[in-house]
Every structure is written in structure tokens, then in C-alpha cells.
Amino acid sequence: MSERKVLNKYYPPDFDPSKIPRMKLPKNRQYTVRLMAPFNMRCKTCGEYIYKGKKFNARKEDAENEDYLGIRIYRFYIKCTRCLQEISFKTDPRNTDYEIEEGATRNFMALKLAQEQEKREEDAEKEEEATNPMKLLENRTQQSKQEIELMESLEELRDLNRRQGNVDYDSMLLKYNPAELKEQIKRMQEEEDENTVKNLMGIKRKINENEELVKSDDNMTKSKINNVITSTTQSSVKKKVSKLNLLNLVKVNNVTNTNKTNESCNSLSLIGNYSSSDDSN
């Protein structure tokens, strides 16, 4: 199977290239090429904006009697997409850029203008230094002063680096373990929760103890009141019995303290019996 794209061609043994007729072409022939707009531009006729990178079918030719250090300069012709006005621009190998010639104006040339201004200022300074020796001396002293300041700043940075050289940041980073830090934080949170629970339990116990103390105080007061009542009743009964004993009206038997109420009742019945016996007599 033969190759689809043949790179080598067959030349017969009797081939003579000098016998091939030469075509007579014009000296400055134009070629059709496909290119993109090298910069943003605006058409002078209709005001159409042509942005950088827009593709065109352009005509290319050599700029006659123009070169830069033996480098050829080429000229390109394109047409406006709206009014078909012809726009021409050429290469600028000196500034590694393109230069607009006619048919449009270039937009957004701020960077190029700034570079040109900077270049003009540098050239003016060089001319002034060449003509004015005092200016040259001032510039040299200023440069030496700047160099001294830079050296001082470098020494300060070196001192700082020496001070910080003893610190081993790698070991510090190895010691830092995010898992252990999370566990420590979790442990601290659990301890705080336990402390809060203990505090709440202690407060609850104190409240219960206070309630128990109040209840015990109430019981004590109640028992004291009952003791006072019983003591008063017992004293009143004893007084009555002592009076009857003085009058020799009743003979009181020794009874237990538990049946003191019964004794009062018996004494009253004896008084009644004694009164009835007197009436019969």
C-alpha cells in the first residue's frame, strides 16, 4: 500500500532543471496571506472598531527602500469589515511592533506612549550628563548613597535571618498535630460540661437541704407547741389535785403518767360521791 502523503518525488535520470522555463514576475509582487489584526484600530471613514486578533485576508508586499539593519520591512493591506475602506500598516522591527500608515487610527496606545516618553527622558538625561559635569557628579553621589542604603538593609536582613536561624520550624510543624488538638479541645469541653453539671447538682442539693431544714424546723416548732400544751394541762391538773388533797376530800392513788387524764376524771367522780354522802346524812 502506497503512502497517502508522498514527500519524495521521482526524478528520471535524464532530468535537467536548467531546461525548465522561468516565469517573469514583477519586482514588488503582492501575495495574499491570512493574518490577524496586530492591534486595536478604528476606521477613519465609518468609525468601525476593529479589535486585536480579528482575522483578515490581507495583501502583503515588501516596503521599497526600507529596512532595519538588513531586516526586511513588510506592508499589509486589509479592508474595513463595514465600509470596505482599505487600511495599511507595516512592520516595525526596531520597536518589535507594527506601525499604522493610513485608513485607520490606533487605539489604546498608552503603554507605547509611556515607553516612548521614558526613552526620551533617558536620552535627555544622558545628554545632560555628557554636557554638565556637576550633574554627573550629583547622579554618582546619589547612586552611591542608594547603594549604601541597600547594603545596610541587606545587613539588617542577614541579622534577622541569623536570629531566626535557631528556630526549627520543621520540628514545630511536626509537633503540631491537628488530630491531637481536636482531641484536647474535645476533652476540655467535656470537663467544662462535667463541672457545670456538678455545680448544678450542688445547687440542687443545697436547695433540698434547705427544704429539709425548714421542714425539721416546722416539726420542732410543732413538737415544742405540743409539749407546752401537755405541760400546761398537766400542771393545771396537778394544781386541782393538790387543792383537793389539802381539803381531805379525795384520796389520790399513785398512777402512771400515761393515765393522768383518767386520774382527773376519777377525782371528779369522787368529789361527786362525797357530796352525795353529805346530803344523805
Side-chain angles (χ1 to χ4, degrees):
M1 185 176 178
S2 63
E3 293 183 0
R4 184 171 64 85
K5 291 182 179 180
V6 180
L7 301 176
N8 298 322
K9 298 185 181 297
Y10 174 73
Y11 294 98
D14 57 349
F15 175 73
D16 188 5
S18 62
K19 293 180 181 179
I20 299 172
R22 300 292 181 182
M23 294 178 64
K24 291 183 179 180
L25 298 173
K27 187 176 181 181
N28 193 7
R29 184 187 174 190
Q30 291 183 351
Y31 297 93
T32 303
V33 294
R34 184 77 172 170
L35 58 78
M36 292 188 291
F39 44 76
N40 298 310
M41 63 184 82
R42 184 180 181 185
C43 180
K44 287 182 179 179
T45 306
C46 63
E48 177 71 11
Y49 285 98
I50 300 170
Y51 59 88
K52 182 180 178 180
K54 189 172 180 62
K55 294 180 179 180
F56 291 94
N57 291 323
R59 291 181 290 112
K60 183 185 95 168
E61 67 178 8
D62 295 338
E64 293 181 358
N65 302 322
E66 292 184 18
D67 63 348
Y68 174 72
L69 301 176
I71 300 171
R72 287 183 181 178
I73 294 174
Y74 298 100
R75 185 178 286 110
F76 300 93
Y77 300 94
I78 60 173
K79 289 184 178 181
C80 176
T81 56
R82 186 175 180 183
C83 65
L84 301 178
Q85 172 67 28
E86 192 172 61
I87 300 167
S88 65
F89 56 90
K90 62 181 180 179
T91 58
D92 187 7
R94 182 175 182 179
N95 299 316
T96 62
D97 199 0
Y98 290 84
E99 183 181 353
I100 191 79
E101 285 187 328
E102 59 176 313
T105 56
R106 186 170 177 175
N107 299 332
F108 309 111
M109 295 178 65
L111 181 61
K112 186 177 180 181
L113 292 173
Q115 289 175 354
E116 290 177 355
Q117 182 67 24
E118 186 178 358
K119 189 175 181 181
R120 284 196 296 269
E121 288 177 358
E122 288 179 358
D123 294 337
E125 286 179 359
K126 288 179 181 178
E127 288 179 0
E128 189 176 3
E129 286 178 358
T131 56
N132 191 358
M134 294 299 293
K135 187 69 175 177
L136 180 62
L137 183 62
E138 288 177 0
N139 291 334
R140 285 181 180 177
T141 53
Q142 189 175 3
Q143 287 177 0
S144 62
K145 187 177 179 181
Q146 289 177 356
E147 288 177 358
I148 291 166
E149 289 177 356
L150 287 172
M151 291 297 291
E152 289 177 355
S153 61
L154 286 171
E155 288 294 332
E156 289 178 358
L157 290 172
R158 285 172 184 170
D159 292 336
L160 288 172
N161 289 329
R162 289 194 200 97
R163 291 175 189 172
Q164 296 178 357
N166 296 325
V167 180
D168 191 2
Y169 295 104
D170 294 332
S171 61
M172 291 174 69
L173 290 171
L174 289 171
K175 287 180 182 178
Y176 174 72
N177 191 354
E180 292 181 358
L181 185 61
K182 287 180 181 179
E183 290 178 358
Q184 188 175 1
I185 292 167
K186 188 176 180 181
R187 202 180 304 116
M188 290 172 68
Q189 289 177 353
E190 289 177 354
E191 289 177 358
E192 288 179 357
D193 294 336
E194 289 177 359
N195 292 326
T196 53
V197 170
K198 286 180 181 178
N199 292 327
L200 292 172
M201 292 296 290
I203 292 165
K204 190 173 180 181
R205 285 175 185 171
K206 286 180 181 179
I207 292 167
N208 292 328
E209 288 176 358
N210 291 327
E211 289 178 354
E212 289 176 357
L213 288 171
V214 170
K215 288 180 181 179
S216 63
D217 292 336
D218 293 336
N219 293 327
M220 289 291 289
T221 52
K222 288 179 181 179
S223 63
K224 285 181 180 180
I225 291 165
N226 292 325
N227 291 328
V228 169
I229 292 167
T230 52
S231 63
T232 51
T233 52
Q234 288 176 3
S235 62
S236 62
V237 171
K238 283 181 181 180
K239 286 179 181 178
K240 288 180 181 179
V241 173
S242 62
K243 286 180 181 180
L244 292 172
N245 287 328
L246 291 171
L247 294 171
N248 293 320
L249 296 174
V250 180
K251 292 180 180 180
V252 181
N253 295 323
N254 293 323
V255 293
T256 62
N257 293 325
T258 58
N259 295 324
K260 285 180 182 181
T261 56
N262 292 327
E263 285 179 358
S264 63
C265 294
N266 291 327
S267 63
L268 292 172
S269 62
L270 288 172
I271 290 166
N273 290 327
Y274 182 77
S275 61
S276 62
S277 63
D278 290 337
D279 293 331
S280 62
N281 293 325

